[in-house]
């Protein structure tokens, strides 16, 4: 490897990952242009740099200089000054104007701009206003550069330094010396751990009250990320001790202070139980959901329950007539479910696979249509909505699209950022939401906020599926509250009973061993394998050849589901292998390296976080745009259609023909999706799934993880791996306990309702 030192200018930033600072630069001087890779925080085109590193050969992109150290140099001559001013660093100054300025003032240019900015008017094309704007920008850049040099002493990257300077200005110096933890509250991208590193370098004591308070708030936010809406006080204090390395007594004092300042909320749900600690946002979400649910249900109780009771026999007759005309036959439990949906403002329909939920919804829809009611169908994801549309014969939309999401939305619900809310509610008589196990507390809050009194809300789902990715256990809490009408379907219908997928799913649910008949089964197979390389070969054969022929689908429709991200059977390893065989490189396929992931045209990819600002469009005949919108969400899967190096854009087409352009710096929101975690598969259905079970950590060997994976398959399930792991998963109860308070908030509302009646 050849070592080198180069000095020149950043012609352009080819790629930059804002999260970790990794960038690919084109650096040039009078003699050469070099492609340089490494971590360059906040570097911009036009910067003058000195870089030390080693040359390496990249298999796709040729020779590159891998940076080991670098230094940003100030402009030091006329040519440097001209290049800097014309680089775009100063808005409104292009290359030609920069050349005229430097030709006039030479090496004295920066002094003139800073001390005598009115002289810029001597340049043709510069008015007094433009002269003032240029001077202000150069001054701001000077102050920012001074701040960045100061912040470098604390190990702060240039990119983060810019954010800090923009937030605090000259106040950043006092902030760093007194309470650097304030950054964790104010600046996106600065968590507690980053602020803690900075604080140590600033000499802040480990038992500082600022440190303890920030650490507690961080521990509570981490609980939210793990799905909890609250934590028992003793667990939060213990988490704080582990995080901060301090005693429980020291932490308890600051916990009390946070309570007094209303930064956190505490509630004792039962007299004997522990004290629970909430963030204000999660407590507000659960309380508002409980209040809105009560309002929806009370409306029907007050206005129509007595009348509907008198008309019960008439309603039964109407249901029977619909059954006769449609050829669908309900059993008694299904018929009772339809009646409950008609009689109540809020109703929950739950049951496992093959228990007739879809048939029951069909009859409900027919009834409401005959009553000339406006109906809306919704589901949490695009795939779930598509499946609901196909099953019901009516358009279903994602909840986000139903609520008319805008770029201002966030993950804390309450109607914020949605076009539909309390001021502009949905215009519907009946709203049916499928896959409710996937709905977190903040999305549920936004949905309920947009439903007006007098609307029937029917919530459908399987409470034994994995809980939502976001915080809360909404469906489970609703059922366990016993405050609302619930119809539980248990009977497995004859046609479904012929499916080994359905029967084994129920056996897994009940904690019983699955029945494996590889020779006789048509849709459920287990292949005992203990060698990762053998499993890799089997997966490739299944996905690329055997299963597509068996279920009559494309290899891209076959989904590999795995419990984990890391390890031999993790998402990362499997995607690398599957990409090579399903979408191999070719001269006609463009590629783009983003961090450690190589994206290729034709790849199957998944969005990994909610992004309410990403814009999408749907093209119709002749490529005319027929629909536009905003928002791409965690778990959405699509295909890379184009990689445009010239425009630095990557085009992905998601379900329903939604096309999204990603800037290269946004590619960290995408990952390959030939294999995905079982958690990410919630709400989706695939023609066939392949589930490798080898080397699964003990924390992931629980029942409803396997249950969810098996119930994602429509025609075929193939499990490969260690039989003992599968048996442990079936035997293991769900270890993912979630602390939530919706059930208690609903109970409070019910007690209030009882007092109102008295």
């Amino acid at each position: 490897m050849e070592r080198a030192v180069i000095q020149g200018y950043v012609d352009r930033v080819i790629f930059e990952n804002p999260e970790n600072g990794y960038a690919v630069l084109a650096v040039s001087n009078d003699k050469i242009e070099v492609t340089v890779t490494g971590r360059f925080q906040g570097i911009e085109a036009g910067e003058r740099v000195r870089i030390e590193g080693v040359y390496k050969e990249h298999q796709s992109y040729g020779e590159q200089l891998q940076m080991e150290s670098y230094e940003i140099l100030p402009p030091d001559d006329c040519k440097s000054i001209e290049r800097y001013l014309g680089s775009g660093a100063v808005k409104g100054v292009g290359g030609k104007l920069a050349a005229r300025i430097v030709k006039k003032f030479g090496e004295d240019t920066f002094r003139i701009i800073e001390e005598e900015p009115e002289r810029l008017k001597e340049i043709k094309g510069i008015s007094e206003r433009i002269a003032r704007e240029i001077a202000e920008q150069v001054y701001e850049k000077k102050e920012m550069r001074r701040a960045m040099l100061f912040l470098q002493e604390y190990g702060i990257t240039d990119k983060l330094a810019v954010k800090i300077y923009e937030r605090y200005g000259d106040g950043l110096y006092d902030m760093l010396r007194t309470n650097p933890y304030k950054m964790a509250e104010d600046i996106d991208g600065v968590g507690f751990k980053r602020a803690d590193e900075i604080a140590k370098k600033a000499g802040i004591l480990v038992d500082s009250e600022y440190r303890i308070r920030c650490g507690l708030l961080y521990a509570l936010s981490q609980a939210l990320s793990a799905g909890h809406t609250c934590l028992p006080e003793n667990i939060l204090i213990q988490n704080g001790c582990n995080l901060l390395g301090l005693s429980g007594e020291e932490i308890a004092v600051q916990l009390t202070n946070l309570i007094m300042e209303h930064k956190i909320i505490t509630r004792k749900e039962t007299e004997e139980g522990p004290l629970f600690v909430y963030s204000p946002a999660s407590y507000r979400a659960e309380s508002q959901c409980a209040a809105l649910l009560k309002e929806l249900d009370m409306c029907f109780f007050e206005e129509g329950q007595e009348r509907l009771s008198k008309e019960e026999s008439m309603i039964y007759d109407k249901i029977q007539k619909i059954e006769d005309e449609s050829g669908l036959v309900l059993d008694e439990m299904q018929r009772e479910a339809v009646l409950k949906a008609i009689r109540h403002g809020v109703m929950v329909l739950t049951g496992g696979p093959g228990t007739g939920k879809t048939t029951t919804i069909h009859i409900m829809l027919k009834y409401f249509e005959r009553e000339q009611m406006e109906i809306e169908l919704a589901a949490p994801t695009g795939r779930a909505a598509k499946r609901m549309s196909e099953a019901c014969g009516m358009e279903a939309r994602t909840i986000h699209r139903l609520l008319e999401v805008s770029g201002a939305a966030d993950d804390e619900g309450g109607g914020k950022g949605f076009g539909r809310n309390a001021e502009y509610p949905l215009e519907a008589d009946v709203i049916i939401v499928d896959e409710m196990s996937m709905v977190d507390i903040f999305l549920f809050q936004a949905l309920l906020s947009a439903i007006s009194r007098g609307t029937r809300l029917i919530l459908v789902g399987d409470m034994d599926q994995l809980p939502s990715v976001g915080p809360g256990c909404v469906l489970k809490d609703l059922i366990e509250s016993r405050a609302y009408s619930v119809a539980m379907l248990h009977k497995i219908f004859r046609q479904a009973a012929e499916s080994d997928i359905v029967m084994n799913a129920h056996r897994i649910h009940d904690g019983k061993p699955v029945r494996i008949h590889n020779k006789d089964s048509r849709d459920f197979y287990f292949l005992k394998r203990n060698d990762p390389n053998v499993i890799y070969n089997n997966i490739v054969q299944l996905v690329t050849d055997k299963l597509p022929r068996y279920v009559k689908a494309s290899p891209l429709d076959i989904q590999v589901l795995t419990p984990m991200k890391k390890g031999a059977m993790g998402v990362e390893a499997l995607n690398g292998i599957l990409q090579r065989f399903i979408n191999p490189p070719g001269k006609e396929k463009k590629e783009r390296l983003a961090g450690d992931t190589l994206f290729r045209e034709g790849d199957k990819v998944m969005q990994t976080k909610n992004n309410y600002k990403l814009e999408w469009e749907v093209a119709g005949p002749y490529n005319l745009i027929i629909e536009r919108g905003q928002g791409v969400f965690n778990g959405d899967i699509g295909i890379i259609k184009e990689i445009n190096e010239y425009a630095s854009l990557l085009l992905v087409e998601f379900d329903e023909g939604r096309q999204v352009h990603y800037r290269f710096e946004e590619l960290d929101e995408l990952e390959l999706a030939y294999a995905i975690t079982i958690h990410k598969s919630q709400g989706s259905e695939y023609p066939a799934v392949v589930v490798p079970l080898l080397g699964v950590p003990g924390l992931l060997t629980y029942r409803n993880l396997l249950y969810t994976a098996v119930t994602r398959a429509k025609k075929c399930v193939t499990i490969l791996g260690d039989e003992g792991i599968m048996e442990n998963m079936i035997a293991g109860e769900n270890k993912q306990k979630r602390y939530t308070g919706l059930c208690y908030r609903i109970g409070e509302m019910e007690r209030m309702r009882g007092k109102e009646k008295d």
Side-chain angles (χ1 to χ4, degrees):
M1 294 184 291
E2 180 189 350
R3 302 192 65 80
V5 178
I6 64 168
Q7 187 167 307
Y9 300 91
V10 179
D11 264 351
R12 62 192 182 281
V13 179
I14 299 169
F15 167 78
E16 182 180 18
N17 183 335
E19 295 298 319
N20 60 22
Y22 178 83
V24 181
L25 312 177
V27 178
S28 66
N29 54 31
D30 291 337
K31 298 177 181 178
I32 57 170
E33 178 175 294
V34 179
T35 300
V36 184
T37 66
R39 296 183 186 275
F40 299 88
Q41 289 285 357
I43 204 158
E44 298 178 351
E47 301 270 23
R48 181 167 168 259
V49 293
R50 182 180 183 276
I51 299 172
E52 294 184 32
V54 293
Y55 280 106
K56 289 189 175 181
E57 189 72 22
H58 189 281
Q59 60 180 6
S60 300
Y61 301 110
E63 189 177 62
Q64 298 178 336
L65 182 66
Q66 186 173 304
M67 180 274 292
E68 292 181 342
S69 65
Y70 77 100
E71 181 183 2
I72 297 177
L73 305 172
D76 65 346
D77 54 33
C78 290
K79 187 173 182 180
S80 300
I81 295 169
E82 179 184 330
R83 191 157 188 159
Y84 177 78
L85 287 175
S87 69
V90 180
K91 291 180 182 176
V93 179
K96 291 181 179 179
L97 183 55
R100 293 203 299 271
I101 294 172
V102 175
K103 185 178 180 181
K104 175 72 175 176
F105 301 118
E107 293 183 8
D108 210 22
T109 296
F110 278 124
R111 188 197 66 77
I112 294 291
I113 293 174
E114 291 170 11
E115 298 176 9
E116 303 176 70
E118 67 279 356
R119 288 191 59 192
L120 288 173
K121 293 189 294 181
E122 298 172 20
I123 310 295
K124 184 179 179 181
I126 297 183
S127 64
E128 183 178 347
R129 178 182 61 81
I130 294 173
R132 188 170 59 251
E133 289 175 357
I134 292 172
E136 286 173 356
Q137 287 186 69
V138 169
Y139 176 77
E140 286 172 6
K141 292 279 183 179
K142 180 182 177 181
E143 290 302 303
M144 184 181 289
R145 183 64 70 187
R146 183 171 77 90
M148 289 166 78
L149 289 171
F150 173 79
L151 293 170
Q152 281 176 5
E153 297 175 15
Y154 296 91
I156 297 172
T157 62
D158 286 352
K159 197 91 171 181
L160 181 55
V162 170
K163 285 187 179 181
I164 294 170
Y165 182 79
E166 288 175 347
R167 177 65 176 82
Y168 300 111
D170 291 338
L172 70 89
Y173 304 103
D174 287 336
M175 179 274 297
L176 270 176
R177 293 187 182 104
T178 56
N179 180 20
Y181 294 98
K182 187 165 175 51
M183 290 187 293
E185 298 178 29
D186 296 341
I187 299 176
D188 185 33
V190 180
F192 168 78
K193 291 186 176 179
R194 189 75 186 92
D196 204 31
E197 291 172 7
I198 296 166
K200 286 176 185 175
K201 291 178 181 175
I204 303 296
L205 298 175
V206 293
D207 60 353
S208 157
E209 65 176 80
Y210 296 125
R211 180 172 186 262
I212 299 172
R213 288 147 64 97
C214 187
L216 281 169
L217 293 173
Y218 173 75
L220 202 55
S221 73
Q222 288 298 101
L224 205 67
S225 299
H228 309 289
T229 59
C230 57
L231 278 183
E233 180 188 36
N234 63 318
I235 291 180
L236 178 60
I237 290 175
Q238 185 58 54
N239 290 352
C241 291
N242 297 338
L243 177 69
L244 301 167
L246 297 171
S247 70
E249 291 77 13
E250 292 172 292
I251 289 170
V253 170
Q254 295 306 325
L255 181 61
T256 301
N257 289 338
L258 287 170
I259 294 168
M260 292 176 66
E261 293 173 16
H262 306 292
K263 293 286 181 70
I264 57 176
I265 295 170
T266 56
R267 286 292 180 272
K268 200 169 179 64
E269 311 298 10
T270 61
E271 288 185 15
E272 305 80 20
L275 188 71
F276 283 89
V277 184
Y278 294 80
S279 71
S282 61
Y283 183 78
R284 185 168 56 250
E286 289 187 338
S287 298
Q288 189 177 3
C289 285
L292 292 170
L293 284 165
K294 175 192 171 188
E295 195 172 300
L296 282 175
D297 207 42
M298 280 290 288
C299 176
F300 274 78
F301 186 87
E302 293 166 352
E303 297 175 12
Q305 187 75 299
E306 187 177 340
R307 178 181 59 79
L308 285 171
S309 295
K310 292 178 181 178
E311 296 176 357
E312 190 167 305
S313 61
M314 189 186 305
I315 294 171
Y316 266 121
D317 289 342
K318 290 181 179 180
I319 294 171
Q320 185 63 58
K321 187 175 181 181
I322 293 169
E323 288 183 62
D324 293 341
E325 291 176 359
S326 63
L328 298 172
V329 179
L330 303 181
D331 70 5
E332 195 53 43
M333 292 173 68
Q334 291 174 304
R335 199 169 290 113
E336 188 64 27
V338 177
L339 185 65
K340 286 180 176 180
I342 295 167
R343 292 179 58 184
H344 293 86
V346 178
M347 182 264 184
V348 177
L349 174 64
T350 185
T355 55
K357 295 194 297 293
T358 301
T359 300
T360 307
I361 294 170
H362 264 298
I363 300 298
M364 289 179 187
L365 290 173
K366 293 287 185 185
Y367 180 91
F368 293 132
E369 283 176 341
R370 292 193 179 193
E371 296 296 308
Q372 297 184 323
M373 294 183 180
E374 289 290 325
I375 305 166
E376 288 283 4
L377 304 183
T381 67
R383 282 177 173 264
K386 183 179 180 182
R387 189 152 58 94
M388 193 182 189
S389 296
E390 292 168 352
C392 297
M394 274 182 69
E395 182 194 10
R397 292 182 280 174
T398 64
I399 297 173
H400 288 92
R401 290 186 72 181
L402 179 71
L403 297 179
E404 298 175 10
V405 66
S406 75
D410 57 25
D411 288 320
E412 292 194 356
K416 181 181 178 182
F418 293 98
R420 296 290 184 168
N421 47 43
E423 286 71 41
Y424 184 41
L426 294 163
E427 297 172 3
D429 300 304
V430 181
I431 297 174
I432 303 178
V433 183
D434 198 9
E435 295 289 354
M436 267 301 298
S437 62
M438 295 182 65
V439 177
D440 66 46
I441 191 64
F442 293 122
L443 184 57
F444 195 48
Q445 178 190 17
L447 175 65
L448 290 176
S449 298
I451 300 176
S452 55
R453 284 174 61 95
T455 301
R456 287 176 173 82
L457 178 61
I458 300 164
L459 307 172
V460 184
D462 182 350
M463 66 178 286
D464 296 307
Q465 298 280 357
L466 289 169
S468 56
V469 174
C473 282
V474 172
L475 182 63
K476 182 172 177 286
D477 282 349
L478 283 172
I479 293 170
E480 292 184 351
S481 74
R482 299 185 179 182
Y484 303 103
S485 179
V486 177
M488 289 191 176
L489 304 181
H490 300 291
K491 178 182 174 182
I492 303 173
F493 286 86
R494 183 178 62 80
Q495 188 174 356
E498 294 173 0
S499 164
D500 285 337
I501 294 176
V502 171
M503 297 311 294
N504 278 328
H506 283 276
R507 293 186 70 82
I508 292 168
H509 172 268
D510 297 335
K512 298 176 181 177
V514 296
R515 289 177 178 163
I516 302 168
H517 307 288
N518 284 350
K519 290 185 179 179
D520 301 325
S521 179
R522 291 181 297 175
D523 60 10
F524 194 100
Y525 304 93
F526 178 80
L527 306 179
K528 190 174 181 178
R529 304 284 189 271
N530 290 301
D531 185 334
N533 290 319
V534 173
I535 294 177
Y536 292 152
N537 288 333
N538 288 166
I539 289 175
V540 169
Q541 290 172 358
L542 287 165
V543 173
T544 61
D545 180 36
K546 292 184 178 181
L547 287 173
R549 284 192 288 112
Y550 186 59
V551 300
K552 295 180 174 54
S554 159
L556 291 173
D557 294 325
I558 311 301
Q559 190 61 59
V560 178
L561 302 178
T562 177
M564 58 267 191
K565 289 182 71 71
K566 305 289 185 180
M569 293 299 126
V571 164
E572 294 175 5
L574 290 169
N575 271 319
I577 293 166
L578 289 166
Q579 182 191 44
R580 197 183 318 148
F581 287 93
I582 296 175
N583 187 34
K587 291 182 179 179
E588 73 287 356
K589 296 178 186 175
K590 294 176 185 167
E591 297 178 346
R592 178 72 192 179
L593 182 66
D596 297 327
T597 304
L598 181 67
F599 292 108
R600 182 177 297 136
E601 288 177 341
D603 272 340
K604 181 179 178 181
V605 293
M606 179 172 62
Q607 175 78 9
T608 59
K609 61 186 284 189
N610 287 344
N611 187 327
Y612 298 90
K613 296 181 180 179
L614 272 178
E615 297 180 353
W616 53 262
E617 54 189 30
V618 178
Y622 308 106
N623 215 30
L624 296 174
I625 304 305
I626 58 175
E627 188 178 2
R628 285 189 171 89
Q630 284 180 293
V632 183
F633 304 103
N634 190 356
D636 284 357
I637 289 180
I639 304 296
I640 296 177
K641 293 296 184 180
E642 182 186 6
I643 297 175
N644 188 329
E645 288 285 350
Y646 180 77
S648 298
L649 294 173
L650 182 147
L651 176 65
V652 178
E653 184 172 302
F654 291 99
D655 290 332
E656 302 169 315
R658 293 176 299 138
Q659 295 189 344
V660 179
H661 281 100
Y662 288 81
R663 300 192 307 275
F664 283 171
E665 57 266 31
E666 296 172 325
L667 295 184
D668 58 321
E669 295 188 12
L670 291 174
E671 62 183 31
L672 296 175
Y674 301 103
I676 64 174
T677 61
I678 297 169
H679 279 89
K680 294 283 190 178
S681 71
Q682 289 171 268
S684 298
E685 186 177 69
Y686 311 97
V689 301
V690 179
V691 187
L693 297 178
L694 190 68
V696 180
L699 288 173
L700 293 174
T701 54
Y702 52 87
R703 188 179 302 163
N704 68 349
L705 194 65
L706 183 60
Y707 176 79
T708 299
V710 168
T711 54
R712 298 308 88 204
K714 190 174 182 180
K715 297 180 180 178
C716 187
V717 170
T718 305
I719 301 175
L720 309 89
D722 186 334
E723 193 170 8
I725 290 176
M726 182 171 68
E727 290 170 353
N728 289 340
M729 293 182 83
I730 294 170
E733 293 288 346
N734 182 7
K735 297 176 184 177
Q736 284 198 322
K737 176 175 176 57
R738 286 195 172 185
Y739 294 105
T740 64
L742 179 60
C743 188
Y744 298 110
R745 303 286 82 75
I746 291 171
E748 288 174 351
M749 289 296 164
E750 288 304 299
R751 288 190 287 276
M752 287 173 56
R753 181 192 290 192
K755 289 178 182 178
E756 288 169 4
K757 288 179 185 176
D758 293 341

